[in-house]
Structures are given as structure tokens and as C-alpha cells.
Amino acid sequence: MRRIYRKIEQIVGNVITVVAGEVSYGELATITTPEGSSLAQVIRLDGDRVSLQVLAGTKGISTNAEIRFLGHSMQTPFSKSLLGRIFTGSGEPRDKRPAITENLIDIGGPSVNPVKRVTPGNMIPTGIPMIDVFNTLVESQKLPIFSVAGEPYNSLLARIAMQAKVDIIILGGMGLKHDDYLFFRDVLEKNGALTRSILFIHTAADPTVECILVPDLCLAVAEQFALQGKRVLVLLTDMTNFADSIKEIANTMEQIPSNRGYPGDLYSQLACRYEKAAAFEGAGSITILAVTTMPGDDVTHPIPDNTGYITEGQFYLRNGRIEPFGSLSRLKQHVNNRTREDHRSIMDSMIQLYALYKESFEKQSMGFRISAWDKKLLRYGERFEHEMMDLNVNISLDQALDLGWYILADCFQPAETGITTKLIEKFWPDNTRMSIA
Amino acid sequence: MGCKCGSIESANCHCGRIVGINGNMLTVEFFDSVKQNEIAYAILDDIHLKAEVVRTRGRYADLQILEEPKGLKVGGHVDFTGELMAVELGPGLLTQIFDGLQNPLPGLAKQCGFFLKRGMYLDALSRDKEWEFTPAVKKGDTLSAGDTLGTVPEGIFVHRIMVPFSLKGRYSVERIATHGSYRVSEIIAELQDMKGFLIKVSMVQKWPVKIPLNCYHERLMPTDTLMTKIRMVDTFFPVARGGTFCIPGPFGAGKTVLQQMISKNAEVDIVVVAACGERAGEVAGTLREFPELIDPRTGKSLMERTVIICNTSSMPVAAREASIYTAVTLAEYYRQMGLHVLLLVDSTSRWAQALREVSGRLEEIPGDEAFPAYLESVIAAFYERAAIVKLRDGTVGSVTIGGTVSPAGGNFDEPVTQATLKVVGAFLGLSRERSNARRYPAIHPLESWSKYWSIIKSEDLKLAQKILKDGNDIAQMMKVVGEEGTSIDDFVMYLKSEYLDAVYMQQNAFHAVDGAVSAERQRYIFNKIVKTFGTKMAFHSKDEARTFFQILIQKTKDWNYMAMESDEFQKIEAELDKMIGEVAKNAQNIPEN
Ligand SMILES: Nc1ncnc2c1ncn2[C@@H]1O[C@H](COP(=O)(O)OP(=O)(O)O)[C@@H](O)[C@H]1O
Ligand SMILES: [Mg+2]
């Protein structure tokens, strides 16, 4: 069977077309030019015309480049020796150490049977009150961090990586600035966490479509570790680059765009990746935190919009803080009924009061007369922002809840908080003096 | 004589050859004839991958493949079955969880472990389980499609074994099985048509999912309120048995939680849940929760009245389209037994997107947001399958359909929401503002509507609606003129609307008592609130008014959390009466502002 071809019929965008036989859908090929070689994936078959998406881009590819079909779809090695290693977006070593070739596994495998999913029950404490108290992160959860360019999302991601109690961290960089790549590597190294980490890094300097494989590589490896009983945290940054690569290919293939140039299957494409987050009965779990920068700070843009419909909540990062409004962990109710009995009430009423504070703040800035109630709210809001929302606060959940009561008692009468009498009787601080470590 | 496809030695081969693959669309050259929407299998080594014919042109058929197409090749063999996509109907559907093609997922898990495996198709109904059959007819009786031959107990229900729905005309019973235990595939009756042709009937039959099942006498008008036990729905935006409703809302606004609440508490016999293109984790949650929850109406676990059809977001997209039809066909089947069935779909937008993907690959002329031009008629036809019907034996059954809609960007002005609003009887629109303010369920009180009857008297309802509207107007105005520019009367009106919102419209989904409120209790509380609003109130200052309402809200919320039979319920009620009494007394001393 002939597997090598040297005649490219068409090059459009990052897609090439060759005439070839016996090629299967999804198969991988290598394209070799004098400058080097790239992987390419079969994305359409039409009679004997085969269209391939070239991962390193088609720049400089000549019509007589060598195309060799590999007879399988994309694979990655999997073994413990991946730990501590750094790879490129196409799975080549980036750390100048030897390539790993053992135990190849397919990427983009089938989905988990829904009946085999375990209801998530373990909180992942992060030490960040805006997460632990208000939007608890739960093992097996998939959560994006919606952010605009310039926000410290990568430092937040790094901090969660350091503080979260998990076994293995897999970092997937897509279009990552080289500085940010070094930042992650150094932070992990400095905290001695690199040895439990695996990095697949596609940087902004690499060909753009090459980032398309990064989530699948990360998640295939994560899945294997999870099946071996490990709790894996997958950090992806930035999924917007991934989605844009999908758009680019779809446009090249002349698919009819559905919304602002994005293809109609953007939702399904993203879901295939995010749904890999799971907890396995009798084994480990995969949790995904994925930065999604919002073009133009617009959450209705197709990328954040589709993402929000898929993920189990979202964190909005704005002005260096996790916004209480809009941010949401949908799995929190699986765990916050087993933390402390006042957890849910504190969570609800502090947010409701903060919303009222916002209104009072508005009034104040519009120059309206401020009532006694507004004054209370203004005082409360300021303290809340300062003592709870600041991302540098690093305290345990218990401490954070105590702090919540302390702030409430300091600002309000019990009835003003809307908390049930039962909890007030139990938790309302007697006097407003309380020590917070 | 060999087959033209060359790969099978068969005289009347019904097959084809793949000539193109584009995503989940196969182009297949066929040699004999094909039917629109017939099922075919693309063969990849020893794996058979299900596909459905969606278009034919000349010798070529376009097939949407219902599985991941990876590995298929041009030249690959395709077998056509000649049958439309159909489901198996018979005892044993309840408590099950199927994928969109009616594969039992627990069965798949047993065979394949953690992951789904493409090309694995199992019987929807167990072939081993025995059912205790009691005949309902005797030899010589004349029957037609949908008439009952006998019954088997299925959990808490009497499951009717019926004359196959596909039979036309009248039949006489030649033989009927005696009382005893039978497997679904055993012959339990022989029927003879008017020409003397004999038909063997078992307890399982097939029905093509895209064709509505309507072996009933007549369709009735949906008038009875379907109690969901959600105050805001039953009181303000009710749903009727046999009617339709939709729940559009941006992500995170609470569509799924609202549907889950309804699936738990709705006063119907059977609930069919279609998890369509959304999160698998949510289905897994339901799966674990339902067997543990007791249905107060039957004393049995909720699972006994539930069927789940599950084609979540990472499962094959084309099968997602099928899943909706699978679900509604199962619902219609149980309606045929004189039962009230509720079908909940989450989310119909994912189904519409599946249609869009197919349409795009077929290169049809796109409409708005690239949805196909026929989107509206497809949505309308789907909701039309909801109905309350009188069966030929006089019993009444219903299918009520409620679907969530996930509009792009949360903007209701998009094709799927708009097409849905044209055909449904109730619109429960969720608002981002309300969900951000944690005012759950976040149904927008002013934008939502229902064409069905509320459980509350309409003049009381109008009063409440007026208070909401006035309160909202005043709140808008206060944003401009501030509190000081608002009269105390207006301010009190605003507080009243906030009170109604806090203690009646908001409801804690996760609370044992507050999570499900009976019609009786809704009426009781509503009357109390109406009475409160009828009481003349006057306050010295806005702060005094605000404090009064804050305490009133807290007490009423406490009240909501108490079982109606409990002493605390009465105690808090007395306290509420006292508060209202006092403020009414004060009103006589304070001059009108
Ligand atoms: N009735 C409710 N009571 C309390 N919390 C709710 C309620 N409805 C929704 N929520 C919160 O909002 C989150 C998102 O709700 P969900 O129904 O999943 O949204 P959607 O399906 O619209 O995307 C839930 O995980 C929960 O935290
Ligand atoms: Mg949902």
C-alpha cells in the first residue's frame, strides 16, 4: 500500500489537499520540507482527494513536499517519566531532554459513560475566600476563568496550582507568551512542584494552529493518570487561542459560520474537551481550570458564551479580583452542605448584602441623600472588598466563615442580614471583638 | 450473483460504498434504492457504525453518522437496513437510562467499563426479564392499533400491552396468552386481519421516532394545571397538563435546577428527562439522587416513575438530534396507557445546533445565525407532540413538554428562542439580573407569561401583579430621583413588591419544605400576603418602613421553612398577624402622608 505522496493539489490557509488512496478519516501524516517536518491531520475525504490540516502551518510548503501517512491518529506517550517534563504543542520535548516514545495512547478518546461518573464530593481548598466560601472548587469540576487581557489570570492559575491539594498538575499553554511560560515553569520549580507537573506549551511564537492539539494531549495524559487513581488538575491557558484556531480551520474549509465567524460546532468542540473532567469510581479524577480571555471584555462573545454553557460555572476576574456577581461554582452545593452549617447562609447573605451595597454606592456617587441603611451598607461593602475579595488573602474556609460573621456583626443588626434565626442564635458573635489569626 | 459493491456475496444486497467523509457526514454511493431517514451501518473492520440517510441525490446518499467517524475510509462498505430510526416499546423502560439511540447506558458500562464504545448496540429492553401478564381480551374480540391486549405490572404502574401501533384496520383475536410470566419477546397474542392473515404479537414493538404516535380517540384542550410545586410557576406562570412551556435563559441562570425541581415534584405519573447536549455530570447527579428520593405521591423512589434519555455534550452530535425524538416517543407510549407524562428537555438549543451542523454539512442555504430555514417548523412539530388525549377506552392521558433554551449570548432575540415562543403555552424567561442577585428561581416576573390557568383567583393575582409592576416602576424611578425624591407611599409600595419577591417568588430549591409547595399551601400563603397588602399601613419614616419589612421578610421566610402541620408554623403565623395588627393600629395614629 502506498503511503508516501509527493504531489500537493491545493494549499489554502493551513489546509492542503492531496490525491491519495486508503486514507482513513482522522489519520495523521507527516509533511516534510527541506526546512523541517510537521504533523497534519486528515479532516475531509472526497473521493480520492484528501484534505489535511497542517499543524505547523503551510508557510513555505512546496507542492512537492513529501507526505507520509502514518496509519494512525494522534497519539502521545504515557508513563510516569512524563512527570517533570515540558513538551511543545505537538508533543515534542521543549526541555532539551530526550523524547519519550514508550506506551503510546490515542488522544481524543471516547467520552466517559455518564453512568460511570461519580457525584463529586470533595472540595479543593484554595485558601482564597472568594473561591472557598462563595464559589467552592470541587474535584472533577471544569471551570473557566473569564478575564480580559491584562488581568493577572496566569498568576491566579499558578497560585491555585500551588495551593490546591491534588496529585498531578498538567499545564497546557496555548499561544502563551514566552515570559508567561517561564513564569509558570519557575513558580512550579521554586515550589518543588515541577516534579509532579507535566507541561505542554505552545507559545505565541509557534505556528498558531499547532495549539489545537494541546487540550487533547493534556487531557489524554490526565485521563490515564486519573484511571490510575491520581487526582489531576489540568490548567489550560488560553482557550480563546484554541477556539480561534478551530475557527481558522473551519473558515479555510469553507464551513458556514454561525456566529461572528465561528463555526456552528464550536460548542461541541469545546464540550468534547471540557467534558473530560470527571471523577472515576474507584479511581482518580480530572479537574479543569481554563483561562478564557474575553475579546472586548464581552461575555456574549461566542467563545466565553459557549464555554459558559459547557463548564460548571465560571470565575470572572476583573480589576484583579474574582467578581462575586456572575462568578459561580455550580458544584458548590455538593460540598458546601458538609463543610459548616453556616456556610451556605454566609455565602448567600454576604452576596445579597454586597449587591445592596453596590446600589447604595451608586446612589452615593450620583449624589443622592444617603439613608442610615445606605451608610451601613457602604461600610459593609468596603470591608467586604478589603477583607474578603482581595486575592492576596490566604485563609482557611473556617477562618473565612468566622471573618464573615465578624464583618456582618460589625455592620448590621441580625435581622438586617436575612439569616435565619436559628443560625443567628448559634453564630452571631456576642461582641464584635474577635480575633482572626 | 454477486453484489455490485463487490464485497458481499449476496443476491439482494442492500448496500453502498463510502465516497466522501466530511465531519459526521458520509456520502455513500448506493446500488439499489434507499429510503429517506432509513438507518444504515458503516462498517469498519468488526465495528458497525449507525448512520441515518438525510438526503439522496442520484446514486448518492448523504448519511449523518451517529458515531465518531474516525478511521472510516473512502471505499468503505455501508449496509442499509430499510428501516427508519425506531425505538423499542414495552415493559422495562421505566427507571432506565438510555443514550439517544436507546442503548441502555448501565448495560454499556457493564460491558465496556468507564468509556462509551462506538458501534456497541444493546437491546433496549431486557430479553431475560419475565413479566406477569394478565390478558384483557379473549379469542374472537375485535381490536385495532393501540387497544389493550393485556397488562403487566411495571413497578407502580399497570403497563398496557397493546396491539402494535403500526397495524392498520381491525383485527380479531385468534389466540391470547393465559395469565403467566413471559419474556418481552415471547408471543402473547395472535391477531387475524380481515383477509385472514395472521400476525404474531409480543410484548415489545417498534415505532419510528420521528412519527407522532396518535392512536387516541381525540385531543382535548389542556386546562388542568400541572402542579410543579414552584410558587412562581403554579401561581404566576402555570403549566397545563398536555401543554407546553419553555425556559430560556443565559448560562447559569438556573434552567437546569428549575427543571430538576420540576422533575422531582411535578404531579404527574411519569417523567421523561431528555438530557440533550448538556453536561454529563448533571445526569450523573440525577441518577444518584433519584433512587434515594421518595415520591410522596407513591411512597416509592422517584426513579420508578422516571426514564432518562441521555445524550450529553461530548456524545455524538447526530445522535443528539435523535435523542429528542426517542424521548418524546417514549412519553407518547406511556400516554397511550392513560398516564400523565411530563417530558423535560435540557436543552432544545443543543438539538437545534445539531440540526444546524447537519444543514451546514449539506450546504443548505442558511437562515439566521446559520440555522436552517426549516428550524421553526421542526420546533413547532416537536412541541405539537404534547397533548392531552382521550383514549378509545375513555381514559385520559397526557404528554406535557417543557424545554430549556440556551440562547447565544443570553439574548432571547435569536432564532431558537423566537421559534419556541411562537408555539409554547407558557414562557418562563430566566433573567441574568435575578440570578446574579441570587433571586432564585430567576424567572423574570414581568417578562414571562402563560396562557394557562393559575391556581390562584385571578383578581388576587392581578393585585399581586400590579404591586410587582408598580414596585418595579418605583424602583426604576428611585434610581433617578433617589430615595429622598420618592414619596413614602411609593416607597412602601416598593417595599411591598420586594416583600412579595422575597417571600413568595424566591424559593429555596434545596430546602426540604420550601423546595416543594403544594397548591393548598400556595393558596394559603398567597391569601395571607394579599391580606397583608390590603392592610392600611403608615410609617413615620422610610427607615422605619424598611425595618418593618425586613423583619417581616425574615419571619415570613422562617415560616416558609416550617412544615404546614407543625406547631412552629402556627406560632410564626401568629407572630406575623401580630406584626401586621400593630402596624395597622399605628396607621390610625399616623396622619396620611
Ligand atoms: N433555585 C435555585 N436555588 C439555588 N440556587 C440555584 C437555583 N437555581 C440555580 N441555582 C444556582 O445556579 C447554578 C446554575 O444553575 P443551572 O440550573 O445549572 O443553570 P443553567 O442550566 O441555566 O445554566 C446552580 O449550580 C446553583 O448554584
Ligand atoms: Mg443547564
Side-chain angles (χ1 to χ4, degrees):
Chain A
M1 198 193 322
R2 201 170 137 217
R3 306 299 289 165
I4 300 176
Y5 297 84
R6 282 205 177 75
K7 187 167 184 309
I8 296 178
E9 304 275 318
Q10 181 179 306
I11 306 176
V12 178
N14 289 314
V15 177
I16 62 167
T17 305
V18 289
V19 171
E22 278 298 302
V23 174
S24 56
Y25 189 74
E27 188 173 341
L28 217 57
T30 53
I31 300 183
T32 312
T33 60
E35 284 78 43
S37 84
S38 164
L39 287 175
Q41 196 172 15
V42 175
I43 54 171
R44 184 184 288 182
L45 295 171
D46 182 9
D48 56 4
R49 288 168 67 85
V50 179
S51 300
L52 299 110
Q53 149 191 340
V54 183
L55 292 175
T58 48
K59 203 175 289 170
I61 286 189
S62 71
T63 50
N64 62 356
E66 180 190 289
I67 296 151
R68 177 191 298 264
F69 287 94
L70 302 180
H72 60 78
S73 52
M74 185 67 189
Q75 295 177 318
T76 173
F78 167 71
S79 81
K80 279 216 164 62
S81 55
L82 292 176
L83 291 169
R85 297 292 310 268
I86 305 173
F87 302 94
T88 66
S90 56
E92 305 294 323
R94 190 184 272 283
D95 52 10
K96 304 201 174 70
R97 288 162 60 191
I100 299 172
T101 49
E102 60 199 294
N103 195 19
L104 291 171
I105 54 164
D106 285 344
I107 69 166
S111 20
V112 176
N113 187 328
V115 305
K116 292 298 272 183
R117 284 175 183 263
V118 188
T119 312
N122 299 324
M123 160 179 184
I124 301 184
T126 64
I128 302 169
M130 288 318 288
I131 297 178
D132 293 355
V133 176
F134 297 98
N135 284 301
T136 321
L137 180 63
V138 179
E139 217 180 285
S140 88
Q141 189 161 24
K142 40 188 181 286
L143 267 179
I145 298 171
F146 288 156
S147 178
V148 284
E151 289 289 338
Y153 46 82
N154 282 334
S155 354
L156 175 63
L157 215 54
R159 205 177 136 200
I160 293 171
M162 302 319 318
Q163 287 167 205
K165 283 203 191 91
V166 289
D167 301 319
I168 289 174
I169 287 165
I170 299 182
L171 175 71
M174 287 153 280
L176 203 59
K177 275 192 296 207
H178 204 268
D179 298 354
D180 285 340
Y181 152 53
L182 295 179
F183 161 76
F184 273 113
R185 192 193 63 188
D186 295 347
V187 168
L188 288 169
E189 193 147 40
K190 202 171 73 202
N191 290 275
L194 196 58
T195 51
R196 60 160 190 171
S197 307
I198 304 166
L199 279 58
F200 289 93
I201 304 291
H202 166 270
T203 68
D206 302 327
T208 37
V209 279
E210 212 172 53
C211 79
I212 218 160
L213 289 179
V214 169
D216 287 337
L217 286 168
C218 294
L219 292 163
V221 170
E223 199 163 76
Q224 293 302 316
F225 277 114
L227 290 172
Q228 293 185 354
K230 298 280 189 266
R231 287 167 306 158
V232 189
L233 177 62
V234 177
L235 305 172
L236 300 170
T237 174
D238 167 353
M239 284 298 276
T240 298
N241 292 329
F242 168 77
D244 280 337
S245 296
I246 286 187
K247 171 171 105 169
E248 189 184 320
I249 297 290
N251 292 354
T252 306
M253 296 305 288
E254 293 174 355
Q255 281 182 30
I256 301 157
S258 70
N259 205 337
R260 295 198 232 179
Y262 290 86
D265 67 354
L266 179 64
Y267 174 85
S268 302
Q269 294 278 7
L270 290 169
C272 274
R273 276 75 190 192
Y274 280 115
E275 282 280 309
K276 289 274 175 199
F280 296 102
E281 199 163 5
S285 65
I286 303 176
T287 308
I288 303 178
L289 266 180
V291 168
T292 301
T293 50
M294 297 185 289
D297 196 12
D298 175 12
V299 72
T300 68
H301 181 281
I303 300 173
D305 187 48
N306 280 288
T307 303
Y309 276 116
I310 294 162
T311 51
E312 289 152 339
Q314 64 279 328
F315 293 151
Y316 284 94
L317 192 60
R318 192 157 288 144
N319 303 323
R321 294 196 290 236
I322 295 177
E323 270 282 317
F325 305 120
S327 292
L328 170 72
S329 157
R330 289 163 187 261
L331 299 188
K332 61 176 184 257
Q333 60 259 33
H334 291 289
V335 296
N336 65 11
N337 55 341
R338 284 182 268 150
T339 45
R340 231 170 75 170
E341 63 181 308
D342 56 331
H343 186 160
R344 286 182 175 178
S345 295
I346 285 286
M347 170 181 93
D348 287 336
S349 57
M350 287 196 92
I351 291 294
Q352 281 179 353
L353 288 165
Y354 185 69
L356 294 175
Y357 151 76
K358 284 277 185 190
E359 283 172 21
S360 301
F361 185 79
E362 192 101 316
K363 267 200 230 168
Q364 188 185 37
S365 33
M366 289 180 69
F368 291 136
R369 194 177 338 133
I370 296 299
S371 67
W373 172 240
D374 288 321
K375 278 191 195 129
K376 286 185 173 190
L377 287 168
L378 287 169
R379 187 151 165 269
Y380 164 75
E382 217 162 273
R383 294 201 55 177
F384 183 73
E385 287 183 352
H386 197 70
E387 293 167 51
M388 288 282 220
M389 284 173 76
D390 193 324
L391 280 183
N392 292 315
V393 177
N394 182 2
I395 51 178
S396 73
L397 174 68
D398 268 325
Q399 288 171 319
L401 292 175
D402 291 345
L403 176 63
W405 284 108
Y406 176 63
I407 296 176
L408 287 176
D410 206 28
C411 301
F412 300 108
Q413 291 302 310
E416 292 167 339
T417 63
I419 298 178
T420 54
T421 316
K422 210 174 111 206
L423 285 174
I424 296 278
E425 275 166 10
K426 181 152 179 197
F427 287 98
W428 194 261
D430 292 338
N431 49 44
T432 47
R433 265 180 303 111
M434 205 177 69
S435 59
I436 298 287
Chain B
M1 188 187 100
C3 166
K4 276 178 246 162
C5 69
S7 55
I8 276 189
E9 290 298 316
S10 143
N12 52 357
C13 145
H14 192 46
C15 62
R17 193 177 68 88
I18 299 176
V19 298
I21 307 175
N22 178 15
N24 52 11
M25 192 63 62
L26 304 182
T27 305
V28 176
E29 183 185 10
F30 59 92
F31 307 111
D32 193 1
S33 62
V34 299
K35 245 190 244 173
Q36 180 72 346
N37 294 110
E38 89 171 89
I39 292 295
Y41 289 93
I43 294 170
L44 175 61
D45 304 327
D46 54 348
I47 309 174
H48 293 219
L49 301 173
K50 218 179 217 178
E52 182 190 15
V53 176
V54 290
R55 181 170 69 186
T56 53
R57 285 193 296 196
R59 288 181 297 127
Y60 299 100
D62 291 312
L63 278 66
Q64 61 168 336
I65 183 151
L66 304 160
E67 305 268 12
E68 163 67 51
K70 206 152 87 177
L72 286 172
K73 291 178 180 171
V74 166
H77 186 84
V78 175
D79 275 337
F80 291 92
T81 64
E83 287 176 11
L84 302 184
M85 186 175 316
V87 285
E88 278 190 5
L89 301 173
L93 294 167
L94 294 178
T95 74
Q96 258 298 2
I97 161 153
F98 297 111
D99 74 5
L101 308 176
Q102 216 196 6
N103 274 301
L105 287 173
L108 276 184
K110 217 175 266 168
Q111 293 211 6
C112 311
F114 283 125
F115 298 96
L116 296 170
K117 195 166 157 214
R118 61 180 176 160
M120 278 293 286
Y121 306 112
L122 305 179
D123 288 327
L125 298 174
S126 159
R127 293 299 189 262
D128 302 326
K129 191 169 158 93
E130 295 198 334
W131 299 89
E132 193 190 334
F133 178 76
T134 308
V137 294
K138 54 187 190 313
K139 185 171 155 70
D141 286 356
T142 330
L143 304 173
S144 51
D147 287 345
T148 306
L149 292 164
T151 60
V152 300
E154 181 183 15
I156 44 184
F157 299 100
V158 177
H159 187 117
R160 295 182 190 176
I161 306 297
M162 292 170 273
V163 176
F165 306 125
S166 56
L167 294 187
K168 302 216 165 53
R170 302 186 66 72
Y171 295 80
S172 70
V173 178
E174 268 304 296
R175 189 185 75 81
I176 181 82
T178 53
H179 181 107
S181 291
Y182 301 90
R183 285 182 260 246
V184 287
S185 50
E186 286 182 69
I187 304 302
I188 49 99
E190 287 177 21
L191 305 176
Q192 195 171 50
D193 71 8
M194 292 305 143
K195 292 185 195 129
F197 191 75
L198 214 56
I199 293 151
K200 294 187 157 84
V201 177
S202 71
M203 290 200 277
V204 54
Q205 58 170 313
K206 284 198 159 190
W207 184 259
V209 293
K210 290 189 180 163
I211 297 173
L213 186 56
N214 43 19
C215 296
Y216 45 76
H217 175 62
E218 63 175 335
R219 256 181 101 147
L220 307 172
M221 190 72 187
T223 48
D224 297 348
T225 307
L226 189 162
M227 282 300 298
T228 64
K229 313 233 180 124
I230 296 164
R231 287 188 288 257
M232 205 159 173
V233 177
D234 302 334
T235 298
F236 290 97
F237 311 110
V239 174
R241 285 196 165 159
T244 51
F245 64 102
C246 67
I247 309 175
F251 63 77
K255 299 180 292 297
T256 304
V257 172
L258 183 57
Q259 266 204 352
Q260 283 168 347
M261 278 173 88
I262 296 174
S263 69
K264 282 180 204 166
N265 302 316
E267 289 189 351
V268 288
D269 298 309
I270 286 170
V271 177
V272 181
V273 174
C276 177
E278 297 272 314
R279 307 171 184 86
E282 292 170 346
V283 184
T286 305
L287 274 182
R288 270 163 230 264
E289 195 184 5
F290 273 31
E292 313 282 312
L293 291 174
I294 299 298
D295 179 2
R297 285 155 41 90
T298 61
K300 294 285 171 52
S301 100
L302 264 184
M303 208 58 207
E304 296 219 358
R305 69 165 200 178
T306 310
V307 190
I308 300 175
I309 309 297
C310 164
N311 190 275
T312 49
S313 59
S314 63
M315 288 162 79
V317 175
R320 194 191 290 169
E321 198 242 342
S323 70
I324 293 273
Y325 293 105
T326 297
V328 71
T329 307
L330 299 191
E332 287 170 338
Y333 178 58
Y334 281 98
R335 175 178 69 193
Q336 197 63 34
M337 297 175 205
L339 297 172
H340 294 287
V341 187
L342 172 61
L343 168 60
L344 295 170
V345 183
D346 189 12
S347 149
T348 59
S349 293
R350 305 303 161 217
W351 163 58
Q353 288 180 344
L355 292 175
R356 175 168 72 184
E357 273 188 45
V358 173
S359 169
R361 302 238 194 247
L362 292 175
E363 293 170 1
E364 293 172 343
I365 295 165
D368 257 5
E369 292 186 20
F371 283 107
Y374 47 80
L375 178 75
E376 270 193 20
S377 60
V378 173
I379 288 177
F382 170 69
Y383 279 104
E384 261 307 294
R385 291 177 76 165
I388 179 160
V389 302
K390 193 182 215 171
L391 301 170
R392 279 198 294 269
D393 69 355
T395 51
V396 171
S398 66
V399 168
T400 308
I401 300 182
T404 64
V405 186
S406 318
N411 178 2
F412 292 174
D413 203 10
E414 59 84 53
V416 184
T417 314
Q418 289 304 315
T420 306
L421 285 180
K422 278 191 190 164
V423 294
V424 292
F427 162 49
L428 312 178
L430 302 192
S431 112
R432 164 71 76 222
E433 265 165 47
R434 287 185 68 84
S435 71
N436 275 354
R438 305 286 203 268
R439 295 184 175 206
Y440 295 120
I443 300 169
H444 198 291
L446 300 174
E447 280 172 15
S448 305
W449 48 257
S450 166
K451 297 176 181 163
Y452 304 121
W453 290 101
S454 167
I455 57 163
I456 300 287
K457 282 201 307 254
S458 73
E459 67 258 36
D460 287 351
L461 204 57
K462 285 209 185 95
L463 173 77
Q465 280 160 341
K466 184 167 182 333
I467 287 176
L468 286 176
K469 190 171 173 309
D470 292 352
N472 180 65
D473 291 346
I474 294 163
Q476 295 305 323
M477 194 141 69
M478 270 201 298
K479 281 196 186 135
V480 184
V481 299
E483 224 173 271
E484 67 263 38
T486 309
S487 74
I488 191 154
D489 282 351
D490 277 358
F491 189 68
V492 169
M493 178 60 79
Y494 160 73
L495 290 175
K496 280 179 177 173
S497 73
E498 284 290 294
Y499 174 64
L500 182 63
D501 190 337
V503 305
Y504 201 83
M505 303 206 295
Q506 294 173 43
Q507 189 172 345
N508 185 342
F510 307 114
H511 191 274
V513 175
D514 198 37
V517 185
S518 68
E520 184 202 355
R521 182 169 180 148
Q522 287 189 33
R523 290 198 189 97
Y524 192 83
I525 309 246
F526 198 80
N527 284 341
K528 176 72 73 186
I529 294 172
V530 166
K531 234 165 95 195
T532 305
F533 288 164
T535 309
K536 204 160 158 298
M537 297 179 186
F539 300 95
H540 289 103
S541 68
K542 287 173 191 154
D543 280 335
E544 188 195 54
R546 180 178 6 245
T547 310
F548 171 79
F549 274 99
Q550 271 168 349
I551 297 170
L552 196 65
I553 286 174
Q554 188 183 36
K555 269 208 192 321
T556 316
K557 271 189 176 169
D558 285 348
W559 197 40
N560 279 339
Y561 282 20
M562 298 301 162
M564 219 172 160
E565 311 77 47
S566 67
D567 294 343
E568 282 94 343
F569 184 86
Q570 290 189 358
K571 200 181 119 223
I572 300 175
E573 185 175 2
E575 286 171 22
L576 285 169
D577 289 345
K578 192 160 153 257
M579 273 187 77
I580 303 294
E582 274 166 16
V583 85
K585 219 178 327 144
N586 288 348
Q588 296 166 355
N589 307 331
I590 299 175
E592 292 273 334
N593 303 82

